[in-house]
Amino acid sequence: MSVYLFDMGGEPVAFRRTWSDPYVFDLAGHWIGWFPWDDNDAVDLAGHYLGTVVDDRLVRRNDWYERPCQGPATEPGRAEPTGRPGTPHHFFNCFAYEDVKVHHHA
C-alpha cells in the first residue's frame, strides 16, 4: 500500500510507494521529487528543496537553507497510488513549517 503524505491541514498531497522509496509522487502518480540524502528532506526535479517529511506530512521548513544535491535522480517513471489515504496523525509543529506547493497534473 502507498504511503500517503499530507499537508498541514491533513489533506493528502503526495505519496511514496513505500517508506523507504527514494521518490515522491503527486496524487496522479507523476514524479515530483526525490530524497538525495539519508534524511527526510526532498528536492524537486531541478534539485531544489521541495519539502521535508515530518511523520506523515510533506511540509516546507521555515529555516531551510539550500544544500548541494549530488545530481539528478534516475527517472522512476509514473507510479500508481495503491490503497486509500488513512487518517493523518495530529501535527504539533505547525509554527515551524508551511505547506508544500504540489502541482497536480491532470
Side-chain angles (χ1 to χ4, degrees), residues 58-103:
L58 178 61
V59 291
R60 289 181 61 88
R61 292 175 38 183
N62 290 333
D63 64 348
W64 174 257
Y65 59 94
E66 281 295 321
R67 12 194 287 213
C69 182
Q70 46 299 38
T74 304
E75 164 72 50
R78 192 177 158 95
E80 291 296 325
T82 59
R84 304 182 75 163
T87 303
H89 302 155
H90 184 71
F91 190 59
F92 294 97
N93 300 317
C94 293
F95 67 91
Y97 301 96
E98 64 187 17
D99 282 328
V100 169
K101 306 297 186 255
V102 176
H103 300 285

mmCIF file of all heavy atoms in Angstrom, residues 58-103:
data_model
loop_
_atom_site.group_PDB
_atom_site.id
_atom_site.type_symbol
_atom_site.label_atom_id
_atom_site.label_comp_id
_atom_site.label_asym_id
_atom_site.label_seq_id
_atom_site.Cartn_x
_atom_site.Cartn_y
_atom_site.Cartn_z
ATOM 1 N N LEU A 58 4.140 16.204 4.339
ATOM 2 C CA LEU A 58 5.150 16.747 3.442
ATOM 3 C C LEU A 58 5.009 18.257 3.544
ATOM 4 O O LEU A 58 4.038 18.839 3.047
ATOM 5 C CB LEU A 58 4.934 16.278 1.997
ATOM 6 C CG LEU A 58 5.924 16.835 0.969
ATOM 7 C CD1 LEU A 58 7.351 16.408 1.299
ATOM 8 C CD2 LEU A 58 5.540 16.397 -0.435
ATOM 9 N N VAL A 59 5.942 18.883 4.241
ATOM 10 C CA VAL A 59 5.875 20.310 4.551
ATOM 11 C C VAL A 59 7.227 20.963 4.269
ATOM 12 O O VAL A 59 8.234 20.288 4.124
ATOM 13 C CB VAL A 59 5.480 20.528 6.034
ATOM 14 C CG1 VAL A 59 4.046 20.107 6.275
ATOM 15 C CG2 VAL A 59 6.407 19.767 6.974
ATOM 16 N N ARG A 60 7.219 22.282 4.195
ATOM 17 C CA ARG A 60 8.466 23.046 3.992
ATOM 18 C C ARG A 60 8.907 23.647 5.321
ATOM 19 O O ARG A 60 8.113 24.279 6.009
ATOM 20 C CB ARG A 60 8.256 24.160 2.969
ATOM 21 C CG ARG A 60 8.082 23.642 1.571
ATOM 22 C CD ARG A 60 7.896 24.765 0.577
ATOM 23 N NE ARG A 60 9.036 25.656 0.520
ATOM 24 C CZ ARG A 60 10.105 25.485 -0.274
ATOM 25 N NH1 ARG A 60 10.164 24.465 -1.081
ATOM 26 N NH2 ARG A 60 11.091 26.344 -0.275
ATOM 27 N N ARG A 61 10.166 23.444 5.637
ATOM 28 C CA ARG A 61 10.729 24.023 6.859
ATOM 29 C C ARG A 61 10.910 25.525 6.670
ATOM 30 O O ARG A 61 11.366 25.987 5.630
ATOM 31 C CB ARG A 61 12.089 23.396 7.159
ATOM 32 C CG ARG A 61 12.010 21.953 7.536
ATOM 33 C CD ARG A 61 13.352 21.310 7.705
ATOM 34 N NE ARG A 61 14.315 22.204 8.339
ATOM 35 C CZ ARG A 61 15.575 21.889 8.551
ATOM 36 N NH1 ARG A 61 16.024 20.709 8.178
ATOM 37 N NH2 ARG A 61 16.388 22.726 9.127
ATOM 38 N N ASN A 62 10.582 26.304 7.687
ATOM 39 C CA ASN A 62 10.767 27.756 7.626
ATOM 40 C C ASN A 62 12.238 28.150 7.678
ATOM 41 O O ASN A 62 12.606 29.228 7.231
ATOM 42 C CB ASN A 62 10.015 28.437 8.766
ATOM 43 C CG ASN A 62 8.520 28.362 8.586
ATOM 44 O OD1 ASN A 62 8.021 28.269 7.469
ATOM 45 N ND2 ASN A 62 7.787 28.383 9.682
ATOM 46 N N ASP A 63 13.081 27.292 8.241
ATOM 47 C CA ASP A 63 14.510 27.614 8.395
ATOM 48 C C ASP A 63 15.372 26.890 7.365
ATOM 49 O O ASP A 63 16.547 26.675 7.580
ATOM 50 C CB ASP A 63 14.982 27.277 9.807
ATOM 51 C CG ASP A 63 14.899 25.782 10.118
ATOM 52 O OD1 ASP A 63 14.273 25.035 9.346
ATOM 53 O OD2 ASP A 63 15.458 25.373 11.145
ATOM 54 N N TRP A 64 14.807 26.534 6.222
ATOM 55 C CA TRP A 64 15.542 25.776 5.218
ATOM 56 C C TRP A 64 16.656 26.600 4.598
ATOM 57 O O TRP A 64 16.544 27.798 4.393
ATOM 58 C CB TRP A 64 14.611 25.303 4.109
ATOM 59 C CG TRP A 64 15.372 24.649 3.005
ATOM 60 C CD1 TRP A 64 15.677 25.174 1.796
ATOM 61 C CD2 TRP A 64 16.002 23.377 3.056
ATOM 62 N NE1 TRP A 64 16.435 24.298 1.067
ATOM 63 C CE2 TRP A 64 16.654 23.183 1.826
ATOM 64 C CE3 TRP A 64 16.080 22.373 4.010
ATOM 65 C CZ2 TRP A 64 17.369 22.026 1.524
ATOM 66 C CZ3 TRP A 64 16.788 21.219 3.705
ATOM 67 C CH2 TRP A 64 17.418 21.057 2.480
ATOM 68 N N TYR A 65 17.731 25.950 4.279
ATOM 69 C CA TYR A 65 18.830 26.540 3.514
ATOM 70 C C TYR A 65 19.160 25.561 2.390
ATOM 71 O O TYR A 65 19.020 24.356 2.549
ATOM 72 C CB TYR A 65 20.057 26.765 4.405
ATOM 73 C CG TYR A 65 20.578 25.499 5.035
ATOM 74 C CD1 TYR A 65 21.593 24.764 4.430
ATOM 75 C CD2 TYR A 65 20.031 25.003 6.223
ATOM 76 C CE1 TYR A 65 22.046 23.578 4.988
ATOM 77 C CE2 TYR A 65 20.487 23.818 6.782
ATOM 78 C CZ TYR A 65 21.494 23.118 6.159
ATOM 79 O OH TYR A 65 21.940 21.938 6.708
ATOM 80 N N GLU A 66 19.563 26.087 1.222
ATOM 81 C CA GLU A 66 19.884 25.204 0.095
ATOM 82 C C GLU A 66 21.133 24.404 0.422
ATOM 83 O O GLU A 66 22.083 24.917 0.996
ATOM 84 C CB GLU A 66 20.131 26.020 -1.179
ATOM 85 C CG GLU A 66 18.877 26.482 -1.870
ATOM 86 C CD GLU A 66 18.001 25.360 -2.426
ATOM 87 O OE1 GLU A 66 18.505 24.360 -2.969
ATOM 88 O OE2 GLU A 66 16.780 25.497 -2.298
ATOM 89 N N ARG A 67 21.124 23.138 0.075
ATOM 90 C CA ARG A 67 22.299 22.297 0.221
ATOM 91 C C ARG A 67 22.599 21.662 -1.132
ATOM 92 O O ARG A 67 21.683 21.406 -1.903
ATOM 93 C CB ARG A 67 22.160 21.211 1.273
ATOM 94 C CG ARG A 67 20.855 20.940 1.817
ATOM 95 C CD ARG A 67 20.812 20.086 3.082
ATOM 96 N NE ARG A 67 21.081 18.682 3.000
ATOM 97 C CZ ARG A 67 20.493 17.787 3.780
ATOM 98 N NH1 ARG A 67 19.607 18.141 4.664
ATOM 99 N NH2 ARG A 67 20.806 16.534 3.693
ATOM 100 N N PRO A 68 23.849 21.428 -1.382
ATOM 101 C CA PRO A 68 24.205 20.828 -2.669
ATOM 102 C C PRO A 68 23.593 19.439 -2.814
ATOM 103 O O PRO A 68 23.583 18.652 -1.884
ATOM 104 C CB PRO A 68 25.722 20.753 -2.638
ATOM 105 C CG PRO A 68 26.161 21.522 -1.453
ATOM 106 C CD PRO A 68 25.002 21.708 -0.552
ATOM 107 N N CYS A 69 23.104 19.182 -3.983
ATOM 108 C CA CYS A 69 22.472 17.905 -4.299
ATOM 109 C C CYS A 69 23.397 17.162 -5.266
ATOM 110 O O CYS A 69 23.956 17.770 -6.166
ATOM 111 C CB CYS A 69 21.121 18.213 -4.940
ATOM 112 S SG CYS A 69 20.164 16.786 -5.340
ATOM 113 N N GLN A 70 23.552 15.846 -5.093
ATOM 114 C CA GLN A 70 24.501 15.121 -5.920
ATOM 115 C C GLN A 70 24.001 14.780 -7.317
ATOM 116 O O GLN A 70 24.284 13.738 -7.837
ATOM 117 C CB GLN A 70 25.065 13.911 -5.236
ATOM 118 C CG GLN A 70 24.399 12.909 -4.497
ATOM 119 C CD GLN A 70 23.608 12.909 -3.318
ATOM 120 O OE1 GLN A 70 22.805 13.775 -3.033
ATOM 121 N NE2 GLN A 70 23.754 11.857 -2.577
ATOM 122 N N GLY A 71 23.299 15.656 -7.948
ATOM 123 C CA GLY A 71 22.864 15.439 -9.316
ATOM 124 C C GLY A 71 21.474 14.847 -9.395
ATOM 125 O O GLY A 71 20.898 14.450 -8.389
ATOM 126 N N PRO A 72 20.928 14.768 -10.585
ATOM 127 C CA PRO A 72 19.554 14.294 -10.739
ATOM 128 C C PRO A 72 19.426 12.797 -10.463
ATOM 129 O O PRO A 72 20.356 12.033 -10.678
ATOM 130 C CB PRO A 72 19.228 14.616 -12.194
ATOM 131 C CG PRO A 72 20.542 14.667 -12.879
ATOM 132 C CD PRO A 72 21.538 15.138 -11.856
ATOM 133 N N ALA A 73 18.263 12.427 -10.000
ATOM 134 C CA ALA A 73 17.959 11.019 -9.766
ATOM 135 C C ALA A 73 17.600 10.355 -11.090
ATOM 136 O O ALA A 73 17.294 11.019 -12.072
ATOM 137 C CB ALA A 73 16.790 10.895 -8.793
ATOM 138 N N THR A 74 17.623 9.052 -11.098
ATOM 139 C CA THR A 74 17.183 8.295 -12.253
ATOM 140 C C THR A 74 15.663 8.378 -12.333
ATOM 141 O O THR A 74 14.979 8.209 -11.329
ATOM 142 C CB THR A 74 17.609 6.819 -12.108
ATOM 143 O OG1 THR A 74 19.017 6.772 -11.926
ATOM 144 C CG2 THR A 74 17.216 6.012 -13.319
ATOM 145 N N GLU A 75 15.156 8.641 -13.506
ATOM 146 C CA GLU A 75 13.700 8.767 -13.716
ATOM 147 C C GLU A 75 13.003 7.474 -13.284
ATOM 148 O O GLU A 75 13.298 6.410 -13.811
ATOM 149 C CB GLU A 75 13.441 9.033 -15.201
ATOM 150 C CG GLU A 75 12.032 8.819 -15.656
ATOM 151 C CD GLU A 75 11.079 9.883 -15.168
ATOM 152 O OE1 GLU A 75 11.377 11.063 -15.321
ATOM 153 O OE2 GLU A 75 10.025 9.502 -14.627
ATOM 154 N N PRO A 76 12.082 7.565 -12.307
ATOM 155 C CA PRO A 76 11.410 6.355 -11.842
ATOM 156 C C PRO A 76 10.180 5.983 -12.663
ATOM 157 O O PRO A 76 9.588 4.928 -12.456
ATOM 158 C CB PRO A 76 10.983 6.719 -10.419
ATOM 159 C CG PRO A 76 10.700 8.177 -10.509
ATOM 160 C CD PRO A 76 11.737 8.724 -11.480
ATOM 161 N N GLY A 77 9.788 6.856 -13.590
ATOM 162 C CA GLY A 77 8.563 6.612 -14.327
ATOM 163 C C GLY A 77 7.351 6.982 -13.490
ATOM 164 O O GLY A 77 7.457 7.498 -12.387
ATOM 165 N N ARG A 78 6.208 6.705 -14.027
ATOM 166 C CA ARG A 78 4.955 7.016 -13.352
ATOM 167 C C ARG A 78 4.641 5.926 -12.333
ATOM 168 O O ARG A 78 4.977 4.765 -12.536
ATOM 169 C CB ARG A 78 3.864 7.107 -14.407
ATOM 170 C CG ARG A 78 2.589 7.687 -13.933
ATOM 171 C CD ARG A 78 1.641 7.783 -15.122
ATOM 172 N NE ARG A 78 0.286 7.836 -14.659
ATOM 173 C CZ ARG A 78 -0.381 8.956 -14.479
ATOM 174 N NH1 ARG A 78 0.182 10.106 -14.757
ATOM 175 N NH2 ARG A 78 -1.611 8.936 -14.042
ATOM 176 N N ALA A 79 3.999 6.298 -11.252
ATOM 177 C CA ALA A 79 3.607 5.340 -10.211
ATOM 178 C C ALA A 79 2.113 5.464 -9.975
ATOM 179 O O ALA A 79 1.551 6.548 -10.083
ATOM 180 C CB ALA A 79 4.365 5.622 -8.924
ATOM 181 N N GLU A 80 1.485 4.389 -9.664
ATOM 182 C CA GLU A 80 0.059 4.401 -9.347
ATOM 183 C C GLU A 80 -0.104 4.257 -7.840
ATOM 184 O O GLU A 80 0.421 3.302 -7.253
ATOM 185 C CB GLU A 80 -0.657 3.245 -10.045
ATOM 186 C CG GLU A 80 -0.737 3.406 -11.549
ATOM 187 C CD GLU A 80 -1.568 4.602 -11.977
ATOM 188 O OE1 GLU A 80 -2.575 4.927 -11.308
ATOM 189 O OE2 GLU A 80 -1.193 5.227 -12.980
ATOM 190 N N PRO A 81 -0.814 5.184 -7.207
ATOM 191 C CA PRO A 81 -1.034 5.019 -5.766
ATOM 192 C C PRO A 81 -1.932 3.810 -5.515
ATOM 193 O O PRO A 81 -2.803 3.496 -6.321
ATOM 194 C CB PRO A 81 -1.722 6.322 -5.359
ATOM 195 C CG PRO A 81 -2.304 6.873 -6.615
ATOM 196 C CD PRO A 81 -1.453 6.374 -7.743
ATOM 197 N N THR A 82 -1.668 3.138 -4.424
ATOM 198 C CA THR A 82 -2.481 1.989 -4.043
ATOM 199 C C THR A 82 -3.111 2.256 -2.689
ATOM 200 O O THR A 82 -2.576 3.016 -1.883
ATOM 201 C CB THR A 82 -1.633 0.707 -3.974
ATOM 202 O OG1 THR A 82 -0.587 0.903 -3.026
ATOM 203 C CG2 THR A 82 -1.044 0.358 -5.324
ATOM 204 N N GLY A 83 -4.230 1.651 -2.448
ATOM 205 C CA GLY A 83 -4.922 1.870 -1.184
ATOM 206 C C GLY A 83 -5.548 3.248 -1.134
ATOM 207 O O GLY A 83 -5.614 3.962 -2.127
ATOM 208 N N ARG A 84 -5.975 3.628 0.051
ATOM 209 C CA ARG A 84 -6.592 4.936 0.259
ATOM 210 C C ARG A 84 -5.848 5.643 1.383
ATOM 211 O O ARG A 84 -5.344 4.996 2.293
ATOM 212 C CB ARG A 84 -8.051 4.764 0.652
ATOM 213 C CG ARG A 84 -8.833 3.948 -0.365
ATOM 214 C CD ARG A 84 -10.234 3.856 0.049
ATOM 215 N NE ARG A 84 -10.792 5.174 -0.247
ATOM 216 C CZ ARG A 84 -12.057 5.438 -0.340
ATOM 217 N NH1 ARG A 84 -12.933 4.520 -0.108
ATOM 218 N NH2 ARG A 84 -12.483 6.640 -0.639
ATOM 219 N N PRO A 85 -5.827 6.976 1.334
ATOM 220 C CA PRO A 85 -5.188 7.696 2.448
ATOM 221 C C PRO A 85 -5.921 7.395 3.751
ATOM 222 O O PRO A 85 -7.155 7.362 3.782
ATOM 223 C CB PRO A 85 -5.353 9.167 2.071
ATOM 224 C CG PRO A 85 -5.667 9.185 0.625
ATOM 225 C CD PRO A 85 -6.333 7.873 0.311
ATOM 226 N N GLY A 86 -5.166 7.153 4.788
ATOM 227 C CA GLY A 86 -5.756 6.943 6.103
ATOM 228 C C GLY A 86 -6.033 8.274 6.779
ATOM 229 O O GLY A 86 -6.006 9.343 6.147
ATOM 230 N N THR A 87 -6.260 8.223 8.056
ATOM 231 C CA THR A 87 -6.456 9.438 8.838
ATOM 232 C C THR A 87 -5.088 9.983 9.215
ATOM 233 O O THR A 87 -4.271 9.241 9.781
ATOM 234 C CB THR A 87 -7.270 9.131 10.108
ATOM 235 O OG1 THR A 87 -8.513 8.552 9.716
ATOM 236 C CG2 THR A 87 -7.497 10.379 10.928
ATOM 237 N N PRO A 88 -4.801 11.253 8.898
ATOM 238 C CA PRO A 88 -3.484 11.786 9.246
ATOM 239 C C PRO A 88 -3.310 11.902 10.754
ATOM 240 O O PRO A 88 -4.269 12.060 11.497
ATOM 241 C CB PRO A 88 -3.461 13.162 8.580
ATOM 242 C CG PRO A 88 -4.898 13.527 8.403
ATOM 243 C CD PRO A 88 -5.648 12.238 8.245
ATOM 244 N N HIS A 89 -2.048 11.802 11.164
ATOM 245 C CA HIS A 89 -1.721 11.987 12.580
ATOM 246 C C HIS A 89 -1.877 13.456 12.958
ATOM 247 O O HIS A 89 -1.869 14.329 12.091
ATOM 248 C CB HIS A 89 -0.278 11.550 12.856
ATOM 249 C CG HIS A 89 -0.019 10.130 12.487
ATOM 250 N ND1 HIS A 89 1.227 9.671 12.176
ATOM 251 C CD2 HIS A 89 -0.841 9.054 12.381
ATOM 252 C CE1 HIS A 89 1.166 8.383 11.899
ATOM 253 N NE2 HIS A 89 -0.075 7.991 12.005
ATOM 254 N N HIS A 90 -1.991 13.729 14.250
ATOM 255 C CA HIS A 90 -2.035 15.119 14.711
ATOM 256 C C HIS A 90 -0.676 15.751 14.437
ATOM 257 O O HIS A 90 0.363 15.134 14.670
ATOM 258 C CB HIS A 90 -2.365 15.176 16.204
ATOM 259 C CG HIS A 90 -2.508 16.576 16.700
ATOM 260 N ND1 HIS A 90 -3.586 17.364 16.358
ATOM 261 C CD2 HIS A 90 -1.707 17.338 17.471
ATOM 262 C CE1 HIS A 90 -3.430 18.565 16.915
ATOM 263 N NE2 HIS A 90 -2.298 18.565 17.584
ATOM 264 N N PHE A 91 -0.671 16.979 13.924
ATOM 265 C CA PHE A 91 0.578 17.666 13.576
ATOM 266 C C PHE A 91 0.820 18.791 14.571
ATOM 267 O O PHE A 91 0.114 19.787 14.580
ATOM 268 C CB PHE A 91 0.480 18.199 12.144
ATOM 269 C CG PHE A 91 1.780 18.707 11.598
ATOM 270 C CD1 PHE A 91 2.880 17.876 11.504
ATOM 271 C CD2 PHE A 91 1.901 20.006 11.167
ATOM 272 C CE1 PHE A 91 4.087 18.331 10.987
ATOM 273 C CE2 PHE A 91 3.087 20.481 10.647
ATOM 274 C CZ PHE A 91 4.181 19.632 10.560
ATOM 275 N N PHE A 92 1.825 18.611 15.421
ATOM 276 C CA PHE A 92 2.076 19.541 16.514
ATOM 277 C C PHE A 92 2.938 20.740 16.134
ATOM 278 O O PHE A 92 2.921 21.741 16.817
ATOM 279 C CB PHE A 92 2.792 18.802 17.661
ATOM 280 C CG PHE A 92 1.937 17.758 18.311
ATOM 281 C CD1 PHE A 92 2.042 16.428 17.945
ATOM 282 C CD2 PHE A 92 1.008 18.114 19.274
ATOM 283 C CE1 PHE A 92 1.242 15.458 18.539
ATOM 284 C CE2 PHE A 92 0.208 17.153 19.877
ATOM 285 C CZ PHE A 92 0.329 15.825 19.503
ATOM 286 N N ASN A 93 3.723 20.636 15.071
ATOM 287 C CA ASN A 93 4.756 21.637 14.793
ATOM 288 C C ASN A 93 4.374 22.654 13.729
ATOM 289 O O ASN A 93 5.212 23.093 12.958
ATOM 290 C CB ASN A 93 6.036 20.925 14.358
ATOM 291 C CG ASN A 93 6.556 20.002 15.418
ATOM 292 O OD1 ASN A 93 6.561 20.361 16.595
ATOM 293 N ND2 ASN A 93 6.986 18.825 15.040
ATOM 294 N N CYS A 94 3.137 23.065 13.673
ATOM 295 C CA CYS A 94 2.683 23.965 12.604
ATOM 296 C C CYS A 94 3.488 25.260 12.523
ATOM 297 O O CYS A 94 3.687 25.791 11.437
ATOM 298 C CB CYS A 94 1.206 24.292 12.786
ATOM 299 S SG CYS A 94 0.133 22.875 12.547
ATOM 300 N N PHE A 95 3.950 25.767 13.636
ATOM 301 C CA PHE A 95 4.668 27.055 13.636
ATOM 302 C C PHE A 95 5.980 27.001 12.866
ATOM 303 O O PHE A 95 6.471 28.031 12.413
ATOM 304 C CB PHE A 95 4.938 27.501 15.082
ATOM 305 C CG PHE A 95 5.898 26.604 15.800
ATOM 306 C CD1 PHE A 95 7.256 26.848 15.781
ATOM 307 C CD2 PHE A 95 5.449 25.486 16.498
ATOM 308 C CE1 PHE A 95 8.156 26.005 16.435
ATOM 309 C CE2 PHE A 95 6.324 24.638 17.150
ATOM 310 C CZ PHE A 95 7.679 24.899 17.114
ATOM 311 N N ALA A 96 6.574 25.841 12.689
ATOM 312 C CA ALA A 96 7.898 25.724 12.077
ATOM 313 C C ALA A 96 7.843 25.383 10.587
ATOM 314 O O ALA A 96 8.882 25.263 9.961
ATOM 315 C CB ALA A 96 8.713 24.669 12.816
ATOM 316 N N TYR A 97 6.644 25.224 10.027
ATOM 317 C CA TYR A 97 6.510 24.748 8.651
ATOM 318 C C TYR A 97 5.435 25.512 7.893
ATOM 319 O O TYR A 97 4.629 26.223 8.464
ATOM 320 C CB TYR A 97 6.132 23.248 8.650
ATOM 321 C CG TYR A 97 7.138 22.392 9.351
ATOM 322 C CD1 TYR A 97 6.954 22.035 10.681
ATOM 323 C CD2 TYR A 97 8.273 21.933 8.696
ATOM 324 C CE1 TYR A 97 7.891 21.250 11.339
ATOM 325 C CE2 TYR A 97 9.199 21.148 9.342
ATOM 326 C CZ TYR A 97 9.005 20.805 10.663
ATOM 327 O OH TYR A 97 9.925 20.032 11.308
ATOM 328 N N GLU A 98 5.444 25.296 6.571
ATOM 329 C CA GLU A 98 4.376 25.772 5.705
ATOM 330 C C GLU A 98 4.070 24.673 4.698
ATOM 331 O O GLU A 98 4.851 23.720 4.545
ATOM 332 C CB GLU A 98 4.772 27.066 4.998
ATOM 333 C CG GLU A 98 5.953 26.919 4.052
ATOM 334 C CD GLU A 98 6.429 28.247 3.491
ATOM 335 O OE1 GLU A 98 6.077 29.303 4.044
ATOM 336 O OE2 GLU A 98 7.148 28.208 2.488
ATOM 337 N N ASP A 99 2.954 24.786 4.007
ATOM 338 C CA ASP A 99 2.583 23.779 3.029
ATOM 339 C C ASP A 99 3.509 23.787 1.831
ATOM 340 O O ASP A 99 3.979 24.832 1.384
ATOM 341 C CB ASP A 99 1.144 23.987 2.549
ATOM 342 C CG ASP A 99 0.104 23.495 3.537
ATOM 343 O OD1 ASP A 99 0.376 22.515 4.257
ATOM 344 O OD2 ASP A 99 -0.988 24.091 3.582
ATOM 345 N N VAL A 100 3.749 22.591 1.291
ATOM 346 C CA VAL A 100 4.476 22.426 0.035
ATOM 347 C C VAL A 100 3.505 22.739 -1.085
ATOM 348 O O VAL A 100 2.328 22.361 -1.030
ATOM 349 C CB VAL A 100 4.989 20.972 -0.094
ATOM 350 C CG1 VAL A 100 5.509 20.692 -1.492
ATOM 351 C CG2 VAL A 100 6.055 20.695 0.941
ATOM 352 N N LYS A 101 3.971 23.427 -2.094
ATOM 353 C CA LYS A 101 3.133 23.733 -3.255
ATOM 354 C C LYS A 101 3.279 22.578 -4.248
ATOM 355 O O LYS A 101 4.193 22.560 -5.061
ATOM 356 C CB LYS A 101 3.555 25.044 -3.920
ATOM 357 C CG LYS A 101 3.612 26.228 -2.968
ATOM 358 C CD LYS A 101 2.253 26.555 -2.387
ATOM 359 C CE LYS A 101 2.284 27.806 -1.569
ATOM 360 N NZ LYS A 101 2.239 27.641 -0.157
ATOM 361 N N VAL A 102 2.395 21.605 -4.164
ATOM 362 C CA VAL A 102 2.411 20.463 -5.084
ATOM 363 C C VAL A 102 1.487 20.780 -6.235
ATOM 364 O O VAL A 102 0.307 21.066 -6.039
ATOM 365 C CB VAL A 102 1.949 19.168 -4.366
ATOM 366 C CG1 VAL A 102 1.877 18.011 -5.357
ATOM 367 C CG2 VAL A 102 2.885 18.832 -3.226
ATOM 368 N N HIS A 103 2.040 20.758 -7.437
ATOM 369 C CA HIS A 103 1.245 20.999 -8.640
ATOM 370 C C HIS A 103 0.686 19.661 -9.107
ATOM 371 O O HIS A 103 1.443 18.751 -9.407
ATOM 372 C CB HIS A 103 2.103 21.634 -9.745
ATOM 373 C CG HIS A 103 2.681 22.935 -9.322
ATOM 374 N ND1 HIS A 103 1.929 24.089 -9.233
ATOM 375 C CD2 HIS A 103 3.925 23.283 -8.935
ATOM 376 C CE1 HIS A 103 2.685 25.076 -8.820
ATOM 377 N NE2 HIS A 103 3.901 24.615 -8.623
#
